């Protein structure tokens, strides 16, 4: 394992670079990048893992990027004009290499598990398998149970926790295990409601509610949502759920064979749709900057925003003809309500259902009788951060950033 300097250029501050050969492969690092990531104690705090030197304000970019480079004891050493000294190990250089792209190695030590999409058939097989969604409240502090809860939410978009005491307190405990409870105008902690219209939202009625995600009228939509049925002495009120990641796969498959469906995919992923919450006189929320389906560069689902009850009537400045937008929404609605794409089950006291509000749509059938449900909104960032700590040791993660 060797490092060798094969080229070095000092032209102007942002163009300066050093080319290295490491184990027979050539890599290029710009000096501005190396200075920004200087590893000496004056530039980087060992405990907080934060930069102490701001290259945009603390150094002269016109002169201080002309450091002397050398190889000492198998490390790349850069001695900067301001007196700082950077030492980069071979491991650090390989882990942070960015150019040329064809030799950059992926950081395989911090790979998240693959997400698994499902429809009704896949869901049924997972349940019948008997190995999934059987997390026991009595063993929440068992590291393997805790990790499984997080992993099932991440991979499948949901999980179940059984044998939970039928109480607000136990619901709060499980919520706080998974993430931080997000306060909203509905409640500042665990919410607890019946069909009394205490808040002017159809969730606070006994009416049926179609497939939707919550909080589309907020910029910061809830990352996760948690339900715990405390009491119901009537009939109905069953839950339906649908994996939008699977629905997106179906849409993309149709788009590959049909131009009309390609237009539908474009509209669903590019046309912003406005949602609002206007039931409370003192709180009116409107969000209109996002499409129904946000996808990443690889075409995978990032977030779904869908609730036809909360959809605004505004269609001004649309990117596509309004009739085509309605066609796309109609097709999406047909898929999410197709019996092969959703599952239906009753909630039960003592079982908590927690799901990814960015991925899994949920619906409720109409009901009668007295029904009391509690639950919470949970922040996504904190869920992901806690999941990382369960998957990777700290050194693995710190070495990847």
């Amino acid at each position: 394992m060797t490092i060798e300097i094969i080229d070095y250029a000092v032209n102007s501050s942002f163009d300066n670079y050093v080319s290295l050969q490491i184990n027979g492969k050539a890599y290029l690092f710009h000096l501005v990048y190396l200075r920004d990531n200087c590893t000496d104690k004056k530039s980087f705090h060992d405990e907080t893992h934060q930069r102490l030197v701001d290259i945009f304000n603390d150094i002269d970019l016109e002169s201080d990027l002309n450091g002397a480079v050398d190889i000492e004891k198998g490390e790349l050493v850069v001695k900067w004009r301001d007196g700082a000294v950077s030492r980069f190990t071979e491991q650090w250089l390989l882990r942070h290499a960015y150019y040329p792209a064809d030799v950059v190695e992926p950081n395989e030590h911090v790979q998240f598990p693959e997400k698994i999409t499902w429809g009704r058939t896949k869901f049924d097989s997972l349940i019948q398998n008997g190995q999934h969604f059987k997390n026991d409240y009595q063993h929440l502090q068992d590291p393997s149970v805790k990790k499984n809860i997080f992993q099932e939410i991440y991979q499948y978009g949901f999980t179940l926790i059984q044998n939970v005491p039928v109480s607000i307190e136990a619901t709060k405990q499980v919520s706080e295990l998974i993430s931080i409870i997000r306060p909203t105008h509905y409640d500042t902690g665990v919410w607890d409601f019946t069909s009394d219209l205490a808040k002017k939202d159809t969730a606070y009625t006994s009416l049926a509610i179609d497939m939707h995600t919550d909080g589309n009228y907020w910029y910061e939509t809830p990352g996760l949502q948690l339900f715990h049925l405390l009491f119901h002495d009537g009939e109905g009120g069953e839950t339906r759920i649908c994996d939008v990641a699977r629905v997106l796969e179906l849409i993309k498959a149709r788009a590959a064979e049909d131009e009309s469906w390609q237009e539908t995919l474009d509209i669903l992923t590019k046309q912003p749709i406005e949602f609002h919450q206007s039931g409370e006189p003192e709180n009116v929320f409107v969000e209109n900057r996002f499409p129904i389906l946000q996808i990443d560069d690889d075409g995978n689902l990032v977030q779904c925003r869908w609730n036809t009850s909360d959809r605004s009537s505004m269609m001004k400045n649309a990117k596509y003809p309004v009739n085509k937008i309605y066609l796309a929404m109609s097709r999406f609605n047909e898929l999410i309500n197709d019996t092969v794409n959703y599952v239906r089950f009753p909630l039960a006291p003592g079982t908590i259902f927690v799901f990814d509000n960015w991925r899994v749509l949920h619906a409720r059938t109409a009901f009668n009788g007295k029904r009391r449900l509690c639950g919470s909104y949970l922040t996504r960032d904190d869920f992901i951060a806690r999941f990382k700590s369960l998957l990777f040791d700290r050194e693995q993660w710190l070495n990847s950033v």
Side-chain angles (χ1 to χ4, degrees):
M1 303 180 87
T2 59
I3 305 176
E4 179 184 352
I5 298 173
I6 56 177
D7 191 17
Y8 176 56
V10 178
N11 301 306
S12 64
S13 58
F14 292 101
D15 295 329
N16 299 343
Y17 67 87
V18 57
S19 290
L20 305 172
Q21 183 166 284
I22 306 176
N23 303 328
K25 294 182 180 180
Y27 300 86
L28 181 146
F29 292 89
H30 294 92
L31 293 193
V32 65
Y33 173 81
L34 295 177
R35 184 65 184 90
D36 187 36
N37 294 284
C38 181
T39 54
D40 77 354
K41 291 186 177 181
K42 293 182 179 179
S43 301
F44 187 79
H45 198 292
D46 284 340
E47 293 187 40
T48 69
H49 298 277
Q50 292 173 297
R51 292 183 181 89
L52 297 176
V53 173
D54 179 351
I55 64 166
F56 306 112
N57 294 302
D58 298 339
I59 68 174
D60 183 350
L61 290 175
E62 293 302 318
S63 62
D64 290 346
L65 294 182
N66 297 328
V69 299
D70 201 357
I71 304 297
E72 296 180 5
K73 298 180 180 180
E75 296 181 336
L76 173 66
V77 178
V78 187
K79 297 178 181 178
W80 307 99
R81 288 192 177 182
D82 65 354
V85 178
S86 297
R87 295 181 180 276
F88 301 98
T89 66
E90 177 185 302
Q91 187 180 39
W92 190 98
L93 292 166
L94 288 174
R95 193 178 290 127
H96 292 83
Y98 57 87
Y99 185 84
D102 60 339
V103 297
V104 172
E105 299 177 4
N107 191 346
E108 297 178 350
H109 298 293
V110 290
Q111 294 293 318
F112 279 83
E114 182 179 358
K115 292 186 176 181
I116 300 171
T117 62
W118 49 268
R120 187 181 66 184
T121 301
K122 177 70 172 179
F123 179 92
D124 289 345
S125 69
L126 290 169
I127 295 297
Q128 293 167 7
N129 177 275
Q131 302 298 314
H132 302 282
F133 320 122
K134 290 184 174 294
N135 306 291
D136 195 319
Y137 172 86
Q138 304 301 326
H139 301 289
L140 283 185
Q141 299 311 316
D142 182 325
S144 63
V145 173
K146 184 177 179 181
K147 181 178 178 180
N148 191 65
I149 290 171
F150 278 76
Q151 187 147 327
E152 288 185 336
I153 295 171
Y154 182 83
Q155 287 195 287
Y156 300 102
F158 74 96
T159 196
L160 299 169
I161 302 166
Q162 300 168 333
N163 300 318
V164 183
V166 184
S167 69
I168 296 291
E169 293 73 22
T171 306
K172 182 173 185 287
Q173 179 190 2
V174 174
S175 297
E176 292 178 338
L177 172 83
I178 296 170
S179 188
I180 293 174
I181 297 174
R182 181 194 159 173
T184 70
H185 73 287
Y186 295 112
D187 205 301
T188 57
V190 172
W191 34 260
D192 173 16
F193 70 93
T194 63
S195 53
D196 59 1
L197 269 179
K199 294 290 184 180
K200 302 304 183 284
D201 188 282
T202 49
Y204 291 75
T205 72
S206 59
L207 300 172
I209 306 174
D210 202 15
M211 290 292 193
H212 67 285
T213 53
D214 275 27
N216 306 293
Y217 38 77
W218 291 321
Y219 177 78
E220 299 175 290
T221 56
L224 308 178
Q225 192 166 178
L226 183 149
F227 289 156
H228 188 191
L229 182 68
L230 299 179
F231 177 83
H232 187 199
D233 63 4
E235 297 179 341
E238 290 185 314
T239 293
R240 291 193 297 133
I241 59 173
C242 174
D243 183 4
V244 181
R246 172 59 182 155
V247 171
L248 176 58
E249 291 174 346
L250 298 174
I251 295 172
K252 289 194 294 186
R254 297 185 184 191
E257 299 179 353
D258 186 316
E259 290 185 5
S260 173
W261 274 91
Q262 180 59 56
E263 184 178 45
T264 288
L265 177 61
D266 290 342
I267 291 171
L268 292 174
T269 57
K270 297 176 183 178
Q271 173 61 51
I273 299 295
E274 181 169 296
F275 295 94
H276 72 105
Q277 210 291 331
S278 307
E280 300 295 321
E282 69 275 15
N283 292 301
V284 176
F285 301 94
V286 177
E287 179 53 71
N288 60 6
R289 288 170 286 183
F290 300 99
I292 293 167
L293 302 177
Q294 289 176 257
I295 59 176
D296 62 21
D297 291 341
D298 296 320
N300 298 314
L301 180 71
V302 173
Q303 180 178 8
C304 173
R305 290 174 179 258
W306 178 255
N307 188 339
T308 198
S309 295
D310 293 342
R311 188 165 38 79
S312 167
S313 59
M314 290 298 178
M315 283 286 188
K316 295 180 180 179
N317 303 315
K319 297 179 180 180
Y320 299 88
V322 169
N323 60 317
K324 297 293 187 180
I325 295 173
Y326 273 96
L327 173 61
M329 292 193 297
S330 175
R331 285 173 165 178
F332 179 71
N333 182 73
E334 182 178 355
L335 285 170
I336 64 178
N337 284 293
D338 188 324
T339 56
V340 302
N341 295 327
Y342 75 79
V343 295
R344 175 172 168 171
F345 56 89
L347 299 178
T351 297
I352 280 180
F353 170 53
V354 57
F355 59 97
D356 183 343
N357 185 58
W358 287 18
R359 170 180 170 181
V360 174
L361 294 163
H362 65 287
R364 182 191 73 197
T365 64
F367 65 90
N368 57 38
K370 182 175 176 58
R371 185 176 187 265
R372 183 183 173 201
L373 183 76
C374 73
S376 60
Y377 289 139
L378 303 173
T379 60
R380 187 179 191 80
D381 286 339
D382 298 282
F383 165 76
I384 294 296
R386 294 180 188 184
F387 186 36
K388 288 175 185 174
S389 72
L390 294 170
L391 285 178
F392 316 115
D393 65 46
R394 185 164 175 77
E395 283 304 310
Q396 282 180 306
W397 188 255
L398 289 175
N399 287 334
S400 74
V401 297

